[in-house]
Amino acid sequence: MIVPIIKYGSPLLRKHSIDITGEDNPIQLSKNLLDTLKKADGIGLAAPQAGILKRTFVIDTSPLSEDDNNIEKIEKAFFNPEITWRSEDKIYYSEGCLSIPSIFEDILRPQKIRVKYFDENFNIIEDEFDGLIARIFQHEYDHLDGILFIDKLNPLKRKLLNGKLNKIKKSI
Ligand code: ZN
């Protein structure tokens, strides 16, 4: 089921999400998020972007991996994720967000991360991600704590975006 994506300006995007439990119907939620992500042609979507304040997000790299064989194809839901380690090496990568349409900015983040999460079978998984997957994971993880990628811009760059951001705010 495709659900509406909440846009910048909604207070829901600034809230902290709580752990998801079996009672929250996590499988259905992750299916809805993946359907919505595919329809929007995005690569990551977090539950708060659908107005659901539970610690869950989905990643689907297929829009990029179809064009580039070097990109690993992942289509997956992450439940109650944690980042347990971040590399000291940081890299810039252009980020966008389905909640902040038509804004793309280079954002500096750790290149590698180690993570822990529950998968769709409720197994606890530990993994290490590098490059694009690490990037998407960190962006989506931030959504669970009410953090948006534009928060990571320096104050001047952020100021330069105010006009565009206000337009998105007014359109919601
Ligand atoms: Zn986002």
Side-chain angles (χ1 to χ4, degrees):
M1 191 179 84
I2 290 159
V3 294
I5 296 176
I6 287 181
K7 298 290 189 307
Y8 178 79
S10 164
L12 285 171
L13 290 177
R14 292 307 194 174
K15 298 261 197 277
H16 280 266
S17 292
I18 57 168
D19 278 351
I20 192 160
T21 68
E23 286 162 22
D24 298 314
N25 210 347
I27 299 302
Q28 187 59 49
L29 171 62
S30 65
K31 276 196 179 122
N32 292 348
L33 291 175
L34 270 172
D35 288 348
T36 306
L37 181 60
K38 281 191 182 295
K39 177 86 193 321
D41 210 22
I43 52 177
L45 187 67
Q49 293 178 276
I52 297 156
L53 297 174
K54 300 288 161 131
R55 300 188 78 84
T56 300
F57 58 73
V58 295
I59 291 179
D60 176 10
T61 58
S62 50
L64 296 175
S65 62
E66 279 161 16
D67 298 333
D68 184 344
N69 290 335
N70 296 322
I71 291 173
E72 189 188 348
K73 185 171 161 31
I74 280 198
E75 185 183 325
K76 204 172 164 53
F78 299 85
F79 302 106
N80 299 336
E82 281 174 53
I83 299 177
T84 55
W85 174 82
R86 293 168 169 88
S87 68
E88 275 177 31
D89 288 347
K90 292 183 178 181
I91 49 167
Y92 279 101
Y93 195 93
S94 175
E95 291 188 28
C97 181
L98 291 172
S99 294
I100 314 175
S102 67
I103 292 180
F104 297 91
E105 291 290 338
D106 287 337
I107 303 293
L108 187 65
R109 295 187 193 263
Q111 185 171 1
K112 283 187 197 170
I113 50 171
R114 278 188 212 123
V115 303
K116 225 192 237 180
Y117 60 91
F118 288 89
D119 70 5
E120 49 285 332
N121 301 314
F122 307 108
N123 293 315
I124 191 153
I125 310 283
E126 290 186 59
D127 209 342
E128 187 170 310
F129 294 131
D130 194 351
L132 180 69
I133 311 287
R135 175 57 52 140
I136 307 171
F137 196 104
Q138 291 176 81
H139 175 116
E140 300 311 326
Y141 183 84
D142 275 352
H143 274 299
L144 307 182
D145 291 319
I147 300 165
L148 302 173
F149 79 97
I150 50 169
D151 301 345
K152 310 221 171 252
L153 292 169
N154 70 47
L156 177 65
K157 273 213 160 164
R158 173 70 193 257
K159 213 174 171 187
L160 291 171
L161 284 179
N162 271 346
K164 278 188 182 174
L165 289 170
N166 283 336
K167 237 185 224 167
I168 300 171
K169 237 187 217 175
K170 276 185 199 143
S171 70
I172 65 169

